[in-house]
Amino acid sequence: MYFNSEGQEEVSYDAIVIGSGISGGWAAKELTEKGLKTLVLERGRMVKHGEYPTANMDDWELPNRNKMTLEEMKDYPVQGRTGYTINPAHIHWWPKDTEHPYTETKPFDWIRAYHVGGRSLLWGRQSYRLSPMDFEANLKEGIAVDWPVRYSDIAPWYDYVETFIGVSGQNEGLPQLPDGKFLPPMEYNCLEKDAKAKIESKFPERKITMGRTAHITQEGGYNGRGTCLTRNRCMRGCPFGAYFSSNASTLPAAEATGNLRIRPHSIVTEIIFDDATQKAKGVRILDGETKESKEYFAKVIFMCASTLGTTQILLNSTSERFPDGFGNDSGELGHNLMDHHFRLGANGRSDDFKDQYYKGRRPTGIYVPRFQNLDAKTKRPNYIRGFGYQGGASREGWGRYIAEANYGKGLKDAISQPGNWSMGLMAFGECLPYHENKVTLEKDKKDMYGLPTLNMDAEWKTNEYEMRKEMMSAAAEMLEAAGLKDVKTYDSGCNPGLGIHEMGTARMGLDPKTSVLNKWNQMHAAKNVFVTDGSFMTSAGCQNPSLTYMAFTARAVNYAVEELNKGNL
Ligand SMILES: Cc1cc2nc3c(=O)[nH]c(=O)nc-3n(C[C@H](O)[C@H](O)[C@H](O)COP(=O)(O)OP(=O)(O)OC[C@H]3O[C@@H](n4cnc5c(N)ncnc54)[C@H](O)[C@@H]3O)c2cc1C
Ligand code: SF4
């Protein structure tokens, strides 16, 4: 993937992209396709599409039947908190917490991935648009600052991104969850179909739709990527490229232009400010292998190192002009940290449909779009904004007999029959942008490279806690309406960060005094620096956010290249 791998290393480029995950892959594709010689600096190792060592392994081929030992888990005290990511099938994707420390004034679960492709290889692929009301809510409610962008500004870019990555889903005509350019949705199973009909008839304002998921469900197009075989092993990497990742989709497209160079093992430590031009002139990196410090130069820089990665670099880039971090005239850099709060809802069991099963292992679930605080009729007295549910129905597997410690013929006979149907709904709620929820740099606490580490200081507040009450009760009332038995609510609790939708620490806004970026993801204070990972988000919505990062990245590149061509950058 090097266009100049021979001879002396080139250090000057048209564009530099920091990070190669979901947003960095998009920046690289758009910049290179527009003819810019682009250097992607990625702190982790190279992973080429197809280099997914566990993709076709079964549990019995993995160490300890795909379980970590207690000794091994000692390296993952934070990332282990998810309960589903740290196991031998996926362990090569996650950096050790012990090697990448940070401090927690309040508990914060930082779930990250350091390799080419970043978390695009590991994400859940749920892809939902923000709605017009999401972009207007801050202004209407007097929360934080207004988004400088409206839905109509970004809608064409959602179209553009969905068409390229492939998103399966159903158009529903809902104002709170705009329709998109979808491939055929995945199928409901019999219990979900039955529950959908009953719930929608009892609660007309609540809709159940199939999860909108970045999977190819129809042959053809997509640059040779394959169709999803519904085997639900996506987090191991998909050999067919059937779900969207940078590795399978945007980076190969960028490479095909001949304009891309990816430099792995390149930890960007600082953005270099040029006093003469009042712009950035390049970046400084630490080579993760040789520990050498190097500088690279470009006309335009795209920061896509993930919300906290980008914030860390910006806070560490101090100069006479920016004593508190690059572009931080507003003092908002590192503040307004958001995530989605989740891990609560309800489950129930069904005695029906015992003669029915489903085909394959569908790699998505059903989705219940937000139905609270949409209008006067759905207004809630105790909280603003709202939540959606992800969920689904399935038949219990053989694991149900573990508790009974059964063995021998009895066990074999029992597990040859599928178990009961059960169904669950888990809520994802919006968190407000609180100035005091923040990350700061600990200048005296260094990591193994000698770089300052982050301190996390964020918490849920009254609005989130009030919302959580209804997140449980509404799930239970819907499952009951669907005729499920033994419906039980649960709240497993979650720290900020565990939603893995961290965002907001370099927000967009109209006023440079109160925001870091303008409406083009461009730094108010340094016009050739663009931040297009989740740091730019001015509010969170309750929808999974990565589709929005992709759409804003494509839009920002389009603007940046226009400005470059006009000689404005
Ligand atoms: C298990 C899981 C499930 C998820 N499910 C969903 C979902 O269903 N829907 C959804 O919308 N989102 C989901 N997400 C979140 C999604 O993965 C992120 O929102 C998305 O990847 C963010 O994109 P990004 O480009 O900002 O960061 P990343 O994809 O994390 O990429 C950042 C890249 O920058 C690199 N980097 C960091 N620091 C530096 C540095 N100093 N120098 C150079 N490179 C650096 C990293 O190594 C990494 O490769 C999920 C995440 C996980 C882990
Ligand atoms: S479920 Fe589909 S996208 Fe996921 S790994 Fe299997 S084929 Fe690939």
Side-chain angles (χ1 to χ4, degrees), residues 425-457:
L425 292 173
M426 183 168 70
F428 279 74
E430 178 161 357
C431 151
L432 297 177
Y434 303 105
H435 176 80
E436 56 277 23
N437 277 353
K438 63 179 185 305
V439 289
T440 48
L441 207 58
E442 297 259 28
K443 296 227 163 83
D444 302 333
K445 294 195 176 126
K446 307 261 171 80
D447 66 10
M448 61 184 183
Y449 302 105
L451 299 172
T453 54
L454 286 180
N455 173 271
M456 317 290 194
D457 184 4

Side-chain angles (χ1 to χ4, degrees), residues 124-332:
R125 294 104 36 220
Q126 296 298 304
S127 299
Y128 304 99
R129 297 182 178 207
L130 291 186
S131 71
M133 72 183 71
D134 292 316
F135 288 103
E136 289 160 21
N138 276 6
L139 180 66
K140 283 195 178 146
E141 293 159 357
I143 300 288
V145 297
D146 185 15
W147 276 90
V149 172
R150 289 292 178 258
Y151 180 72
S152 56
D153 297 311
I154 196 70
W157 296 99
Y158 277 130
D159 288 355
Y160 178 68
V161 164
E162 285 164 351
T163 306
F164 184 79
I165 68 174
V167 178
S168 68
Q170 182 70 54
N171 283 328
E172 303 282 4
L174 302 172
Q176 72 273 37
L177 192 74
D179 290 342
K181 302 275 178 201
F182 298 138
L183 290 166
M186 299 203 185
E187 279 176 26
Y188 296 101
N189 61 42
C190 54
L191 178 53
E192 289 165 351
K193 241 186 246 170
D194 188 64
K196 172 175 160 66
K198 288 177 176 154
I199 292 169
E200 288 177 357
S201 120
K202 169 115 197 242
F203 303 103
E205 79 286 7
R206 303 186 194 181
K207 183 91 200 160
I208 292 185
T209 190
M210 182 46 63
R212 295 175 180 174
T213 317
H215 285 241
I216 295 176
T217 53
Q218 187 170 268
E219 279 180 29
Y222 304 99
N223 299 325
R225 290 170 51 207
T227 309
C228 181
L229 303 179
T230 63
R231 53 206 280 283
N232 200 15
R233 282 192 168 169
C234 314
M235 203 191 281
R236 297 178 183 200
C238 178
F240 321 108
Y243 73 85
F244 168 80
S245 66
S246 304
N247 312 58
S249 177
T250 43
L251 292 178
E255 188 182 12
T257 64
N259 289 328
L260 175 72
R261 178 187 178 201
I262 299 183
R263 192 184 195 285
H265 301 295
S266 304
I267 306 165
V268 175
T269 57
E270 282 157 81
I271 309 292
I272 308 167
F273 183 67
D274 183 358
D275 258 324
T277 60
Q278 294 290 297
K279 290 190 289 199
K281 68 175 171 194
V283 306
R284 193 163 294 129
I285 70 151
L286 186 76
D287 187 301
E289 289 187 312
T290 65
K291 311 285 184 288
E292 264 179 288
S293 174
K294 291 183 159 229
E295 290 181 358
Y296 294 92
F297 306 97
K299 296 174 200 160
V300 60
I301 295 172
F302 270 75
M303 303 204 64
C304 303
S306 81
T307 295
L308 296 173
T310 286
T311 308
Q312 189 168 20
I313 297 168
L314 291 172
L315 287 171
N316 196 41
S317 306
T318 50
S319 57
E320 218 171 285
R321 166 73 182 84
F322 294 125
D324 301 320
F326 198 98
N328 193 15
D329 290 345
S330 63
E332 292 296 333

Side-chain angles (χ1 to χ4, degrees), residues 311-505:
T311 308
Q312 189 168 20
I313 297 168
L314 291 172
L315 287 171
N316 196 41
S317 306
T318 50
S319 57
E320 218 171 285
R321 166 73 182 84
F322 294 125
D324 301 320
F326 198 98
N328 193 15
D329 290 345
S330 63
E332 292 296 333
L333 181 64
H335 289 268
N336 313 299
L337 176 60
M338 297 172 278
D339 186 19
H340 290 130
H341 59 107
F342 76 132
R343 294 226 304 172
L344 74 176
N347 292 310
R349 160 184 83 70
S350 168
D351 291 332
D352 299 330
F353 305 110
K354 288 218 162 114
D355 58 342
Q356 294 191 51
Y357 204 73
Y358 34 84
K359 205 171 68 184
R361 297 188 206 111
R362 192 186 62 201
T364 189
I366 57 168
Y367 188 69
V368 183
R370 171 179 158 184
F371 51 84
Q372 327 77 33
N373 290 322
L374 304 177
D375 51 25
K377 220 169 102 204
T378 57
K379 178 115 193 65
R380 301 299 196 261
N382 47 344
Y383 65 88
I384 56 171
R385 315 285 167 102
F387 59 87
Y389 289 106
Q390 295 175 30
S394 60
R395 292 193 79 162
E396 292 169 332
W398 63 270
R400 69 192 185 275
Y401 288 107
I402 290 174
E404 293 163 30
N406 216 331
Y407 61 92
K409 183 174 182 310
L411 174 64
K412 277 193 188 163
D413 289 346
I415 62 177
S416 65
Q417 299 299 316
N420 275 329
W421 283 93
S422 61
M423 183 162 172
L425 292 173
M426 183 168 70
F428 279 74
E430 178 161 357
C431 151
L432 297 177
Y434 303 105
H435 176 80
E436 56 277 23
N437 277 353
K438 63 179 185 305
V439 289
T440 48
L441 207 58
E442 297 259 28
K443 296 227 163 83
D444 302 333
K445 294 195 176 126
K446 307 261 171 80
D447 66 10
M448 61 184 183
Y449 302 105
L451 299 172
T453 54
L454 286 180
N455 173 271
M456 317 290 194
D457 184 4
E459 63 183 1
W460 312 127
K461 296 184 189 281
T462 309
N463 200 64
E464 290 77 42
Y465 286 119
E466 285 299 315
M467 191 187 288
R468 283 178 86 79
K469 294 178 191 163
E470 193 185 333
M471 288 158 96
M472 278 194 290
S473 61
E477 69 192 17
M478 284 193 278
L479 294 181
E480 271 156 12
L484 288 153
K485 312 258 169 53
D486 297 334
V487 172
K488 292 193 177 68
T489 58
Y490 65 93
D491 182 349
S492 309
C494 71
N495 297 325
L498 196 58
I500 326 185
H501 296 159
E502 68 284 353
M503 55 182 120
T505 44

